[in-house]
Structure formats: structure tokens, C-alpha cells
Amino acid sequence: MPSLTMNMQTLANRIVAGDRRALSRAITLVESSREDHREQALELSEHLRHSPKHAIRIGLSGTPGVGKSTFIESFGMHLTALDLRVAVIAVDPSSVRSGGSILGDKTRMERLSRNKNAFIRPSPSQSHLGGIARRTREVVNICDAAGFDVILIETVGVGQSETIVAQISDLFALLLAPAGGDELQGVKRGIMEMADLILVNKADGDLVAAATRTCTDFTGAIRLLRKRPQDPDEYPKVLKVSAVQESGLVDAWEAMTNLIDWRKEHGFFAHTRREQAQFWFEEDVRQGLLAQLNAPKLEALMKKLGQDVINGTILPEKAAGMVLNEITQET
Ligand code: GDP
């Protein structure tokens, strides 16, 4: 844990200078739930606020087994070969990702983790998704200030976390596996709607034909699902890739940069970032209020009134009013 006496200006300077240990320390600080650490993290973010940043933030989602780790490793290696500096951040708690396996993340992305132009932040071990996700945005900002060119934000495609990742990313990519036509592969419609880019992975060997079919199916489906003004004509796009054979990576990167360039040119890039800032402001207020409900005094009141509501001795709306009054008085 970072020392309490550490000067945040010094830490900020070291991060900007590219010091990896400073970066890791800062992330640990940001992810800490201790009140004093929170204050320091905010101070740090304030120091980093105006430092130059230029990273493209790419959200990447896909159900377990679809090949996210393999893809990120191949794609990350491809990007670093282009002289780009890449940071990889995972949103989901490690228990979700590894299914509780002891191996966990240790064996993930071995080549990339040894690459000096890559930084891989292991999955957070906290179990509370909302908390992690809120902090992930701050982690992304710190990585941006550290001078990375590309920040990959990875999440398992199981729902809630995608919405949050989409609110952190400039571009959202969904990884799919070739499928024998079963409808949308259990991918939630909401996740599909968020995708700017669908990458059908494992387009190699016996799976090429199935990958091509999946590509065609999804191209039709996604364009029906979503057409937004911030998309140029040919987006959302569906492409085939093979993380193992490292094919399709050039096209995938080109599709990403073209979309980002287009959005920058048409003002959507900056607009989305502003909307995201507003989202996180409101979200922090909401979460802060929710956190108050966990204060012992309010928790007891909630419990008591909850029971009264069940017993029918008080109207739900009246009980809610009493709790909210209590919060107002506290603040
Ligand atoms: P994750 O759970 O989404 O991170 O998936 P992994 O990257 O761990 O990959 C799951 C399995 O799919 C592993 O056995 C990989 O070797 C395999 N896999 C990943 N990418 C490809 C690919 O491009 N082609 C083939 N044939 N298999 C792949």
C-alpha cells in the first residue's frame, strides 16, 4: 500500500515520466477503499488532470473462452511492433474471470507481459463490480497521463460491466467465436448495440467457413440493431480475426483507427468524452448516496422500516421519505 506521506505531486511527476513502479503504486492507491487513500487518489488525479494525454481507449468484451486473452496478447504484440505503447486493464474481478481457478491470471499474456512497451494490470480482486468499475476510469486516466498510446479495457461479456466499460472507452469491440448459427450466441442485445466493431475470432483451420458465416450473419444483425450518427457508413463493422494465427489484426487496427479519426473529424470523439464525464459525475453522486445507506445508523433504520413495510404498518413511499429525510439531515 502506498505510504501516507508520499507526495502526490512527486508521484504524478514520476508517472508522467514513465516510471512503471509509480504507475503501479498509483493504481493500487486508486483501487483502495480506504478514505485517506481516496483523498490522495483525488489529489493525484487533480495533479494529472492537465498533463498531455493522447491514448485511444478501447473496450473489449467477450464471453469466457472466446479468446480475449489470446487476442489481447496477439493484438498487443502487433501494436507494440508498430511502436505503440499499450496498457491492458481488466474490469472484472479475478474470481469472475478465472472461474475461481487457482491459476487465475498468472499464465495470461505471457509474451505481452514481458514486452517493455506493454503494461498489464492484473484483474482487481475486489468483488464489488460497481466499485471496481468506477475506479477503472481513474486507472485509465492515469495510464493515459503515463503516455500510453492504446489502452485496452477488457471485460467478460456477462452484462453490467459492459455498460460501464462503454462509458470509459472511445470505441467498443466485441469478440465472438464462429458459431453454427445459434442465435446471437447468447450475447445480450444490449451488448451488441454497444459494439462499434465485432471481431469473429478463431477464423482459422476448420473454423474458417463457420467464421465467414458468422461474420455475414452478424453484419446483417448489427446494422439492423444500431445505426447512429457517430458511425460512418460502413460501421458497426464485423471482421474475422485469428488470435492464434495473428491474422486480421492489421484490418482490426485499421478499422479502429479509421473510426476514431472519423469521430474526431466530426466532433463525436470530444462530445462522447464530455458526455462520459457527465455520466461519471452523476454516477459518483449516485454511488455516494447509496454508500450512505450502508452507514450503520441508516442500515438499522432501513431494516426496521423494511420490516414495517412488510408488515403493512407503513406505506412504502412514506418509509422511503423517512430514510431520505434522514440522509438530508446527515449531510
Ligand atoms: P478468454 O476466456 O476469452 O480470455 O479466452 P482465451 O484467450 O483463454 O482462449 C480460450 C481458448 O480458445 C484457448 O484454448 C485458446 O487457445 C483458444 N483460442 C483463442 N484464440 C483462438 C484462435 O484465434 N483460434 C483458435 N483456433 N483458438 C483460439
Side-chain angles (χ1 to χ4, degrees):
M1 224 8 96
S3 107
L4 290 180
T5 52
M6 199 195 322
N7 182 314
M8 288 301 118
Q9 180 68 65
T10 311
L11 188 61
N13 292 347
R14 283 204 225 146
I15 290 167
V16 173
D19 179 337
R20 285 298 170 84
R21 280 187 49 211
L23 178 59
S24 294
R25 268 178 109 156
I27 295 176
T28 308
L29 187 67
V30 162
E31 286 177 350
S32 167
S33 51
R34 269 174 53 176
E35 198 49 47
D36 50 345
H37 287 166
R38 184 90 291 264
E39 275 169 29
Q40 288 187 308
L42 282 176
E43 192 191 330
L44 176 69
S45 293
E46 201 61 54
H47 286 309
L48 292 171
R49 202 171 139 200
H50 298 296
S51 61
K53 300 181 187 72
H54 66 270
I56 299 180
R57 304 158 177 209
I58 300 169
L60 186 82
S61 175
T63 45
V66 76
K68 287 181 301 300
S69 306
T70 318
F71 175 79
I72 290 175
E73 166 133 295
S74 297
F75 194 56
M77 293 300 286
H78 173 69
L79 297 180
T80 54
L82 297 175
D83 251 348
L84 295 168
R85 297 179 64 216
V86 180
V88 180
I89 293 160
V91 170
D92 310 280
S94 38
S95 55
V96 173
R97 152 194 303 296
S98 60
S101 102
I102 294 166
L103 276 179
D105 278 348
K106 289 223 171 59
T107 53
R108 294 175 83 226
M109 306 174 201
E110 254 182 83
R111 275 187 306 152
L112 194 61
S113 59
R114 285 198 304 269
N115 189 314
K116 69 172 177 34
N117 282 326
F119 173 82
I120 302 178
R121 178 67 184 172
S123 306
S125 52
Q126 261 178 288
S127 57
H128 178 54
L129 181 62
I132 294 164
R134 270 163 83 206
R135 301 302 163 235
T136 301
R137 176 169 181 270
E138 293 171 48
V139 172
V140 167
N141 282 336
I142 293 172
C143 287
D144 206 345
F148 287 96
D149 302 295
V150 182
I151 302 174
L152 295 170
I153 308 144
E154 179 198 4
T155 178
V156 292
V158 287
Q160 195 192 352
S161 52
E162 276 68 24
T163 318
I164 287 162
V165 170
Q167 290 291 351
I168 302 173
S169 314
D170 300 316
L171 181 157
F172 190 79
L174 177 66
L175 214 59
L176 292 178
D182 46 324
E183 194 159 334
L184 300 190
Q185 301 184 34
V187 178
K188 292 205 174 71
R189 189 192 160 114
I191 298 176
M192 287 271 296
E193 277 168 351
M194 273 182 251
D196 297 303
L197 196 62
I198 288 185
L199 301 172
V200 182
N201 188 33
K202 309 194 185 185
D204 49 49
D206 294 346
L207 293 169
V208 172
T212 307
R213 224 172 25 243
T214 306
C215 220
T216 314
D217 290 350
F218 274 85
T219 306
I222 198 166
R223 299 228 174 129
L224 280 178
L225 267 178
R226 195 187 88 161
K227 195 71 216 154
R228 301 190 310 190
Q230 58 266 55
D231 295 335
D233 271 351
E234 66 276 23
Y235 287 83
K237 208 170 212 167
V238 188
L239 294 172
K240 280 181 287 186
V241 295
S242 164
V244 164
Q245 291 191 346
E246 308 194 354
S247 61
L249 304 181
V250 174
D251 288 348
W253 179 235
E254 195 181 271
M256 291 175 187
T257 47
N258 283 348
L259 182 60
I260 295 286
D261 289 347
W262 192 91
R263 284 184 179 162
K264 280 184 175 165
E265 212 174 291
H266 291 80
F268 292 117
F269 186 86
H271 177 75
T272 304
R273 288 248 176 130
R274 283 195 297 271
E275 279 188 343
Q276 290 175 340
Q278 188 190 11
F279 171 89
W280 286 105
F281 155 64
E282 289 175 5
E283 182 66 12
D284 258 23
V285 172
R286 261 194 302 272
Q287 294 295 332
L289 283 174
L290 283 176
Q292 293 200 28
L293 291 178
N294 295 327
K297 201 171 138 203
L298 270 178
E299 208 173 26
L301 182 66
M302 284 284 286
K303 210 165 170 185
K304 184 195 166 299
L305 288 173
Q307 197 53 53
D308 292 348
V309 168
I310 292 169
N311 295 339
T313 54
I314 189 170
L315 284 169
E317 49 273 38
K318 175 100 186 281
M322 287 167 73
V323 172
L324 293 173
N325 266 342
E326 193 66 32
I327 292 178
T328 323
Q329 277 166 21
E330 294 274 309
T331 50

